[in-house]
Amino acid sequence: MKIPELKGCGTALLTPFLEDGEVDYEAFAALVQRQAEGGVDFLVPLGTTAETPTLDPVERVSLLEIAHDCAGGRPLLVGCGSNSVAGTLAQMNMLDGAAVDAWLVVVPFYNKPNQEGQFRYFKAIAEESRKPIVVYNVPGRTGANMLPQTCIRLAREVPGIIGIKEASGKIEQAREIVAGAPSDFCVLSGDDDLTLEMMRSGGRGVISVASNIWPDKVSAMTRAALDGRWDEAAAIEEGLKALFKACFVEPNPIPAKAALSLLGLCTDAMRLPLVPAEESTRALLREVLGV
């Protein structure tokens, strides 16, 4: 099993839509190319930010193919997951191919599994997967928090589980995982505003929403941190704090898509149940972006 290098800045790609609700594949290709030109280290298609639950199978495959073609050889960590083993494996079978370097598999949502259930679920998935897996812990969306002990157990006992996107908002969880997992286990921040603090604690980088908007700046911050240039990284972070905050004043990816629309890169169209940003959010983004 080939293990991709996942460190620095990975962008959680959003999905642009035309005003009639159809996927804007041309805009998506341009957005991916912009990410590559902006220096991001890897790309994360079909995650939360992509509004993936609203995409049909044909759209998912098409977006993945475009991401692969436009990524400039960067690794693709592909969003995947459901609330059943069979459902997740079916998604993997549908999407698997040369474009997939690793899977980002979310903790099962709605079921609210306990820690043993989470462990057994990921073990079952990993035993069937031909590609490595990064766990996605985002209790604010799933209703179930994977505790550090469970993540460490997976890291130590289950081959093929290579990292975690830690989006609990609790920096102490990330620190505990870094301290207890094998040294090659990859801990990535799932919260833009905690990226630098997590990297100071041994994390490898971020799966970022804000880098959809400013890929060069978020990449520069993580690159400086990886090189140990902490003062430089902190200075860049200071200039990004307003954007980090603005990206989450409404549910992700509503503000990020509004920002890209203000930059003329796509429309702000969403698929229900999400709706375009409120005018107050757009006004805030205009101030942050200077447009």
Side-chain angles (χ1 to χ4, degrees), residues 213-236:
I213 303 154
W214 284 340
D216 51 345
K217 295 182 181 181
V218 181
S219 297
M221 181 186 74
T222 57
R223 193 170 301 113
L226 288 170
D227 290 344
R229 293 179 278 117
W230 293 108
D231 289 346
E232 181 181 341
I236 298 170

Side-chain angles (χ1 to χ4, degrees), residues 150-203:
T150 303
C151 181
I152 293 166
R153 186 182 172 198
L154 286 167
R156 291 191 172 278
E157 298 181 19
V158 182
I161 294 186
I162 64 168
I164 185 169
K165 176 185 177 181
E166 173 50 53
S168 68
K170 300 177 180 179
I171 191 67
E172 62 272 15
Q173 290 204 174
R175 289 174 177 151
E176 192 170 338
I177 293 167
V178 169
S183 60
D184 60 351
F185 189 74
C186 179
V187 179
L188 297 164
S189 176
D191 300 290
D192 277 300
D193 60 349
L194 291 180
T195 300
L196 215 53
E197 188 173 0
M198 197 173 289
M199 293 184 76
R200 285 192 183 98
S201 301

Side-chain angles (χ1 to χ4, degrees), residues 263-284:
L263 295 175
L265 299 171
C266 67
T267 75
D268 66 348
M270 312 290 294
R271 281 186 178 173
L272 292 172
L274 299 183
V275 295
E278 297 177 2
E279 185 52 43
S280 60
T281 299
R282 294 179 65 85
L284 173 62

Side-chain angles (χ1 to χ4, degrees), residues 88-111:
T88 299
L89 293 177
Q91 286 188 36
M92 288 181 172
N93 289 334
M94 177 184 73
L95 295 169
D96 199 10
V100 179
D101 293 290
W103 301 109
L104 179 66
V105 181
V106 69
V107 170
F109 45 86
Y110 190 77
N111 311 55

Side-chain angles (χ1 to χ4, degrees), residues 246 249-250 255 258-259 261-262 277-291:
V249 294
E250 292 190 59
S261 75
L262 290 170
E278 297 177 2
E279 185 52 43
S280 60
T281 299
R282 294 179 65 85
L284 173 62
L285 289 165
R286 288 189 191 97
E287 180 180 348
V288 170
L289 300 175
V291 297

Side-chain angles (χ1 to χ4, degrees), residues 3 7 40 54-55 59-60 104 113 118-119 124-125 135-136 154 164 176 180 211 214 216 240-241 265-266 291:
I3 307 298
K7 66 178 183 179
V40 301
T54 72
L55 300 173
E59 291 168 335
R60 295 185 193 196
L104 179 66
Q118 292 176 34
F119 175 84
I125 297 297
V135 174
Y136 180 16
L154 286 167
I164 185 169
E176 192 170 338
S211 59
W214 284 340
D216 51 345
L240 286 168
K241 284 182 178 179
L265 299 171
C266 67
V291 297

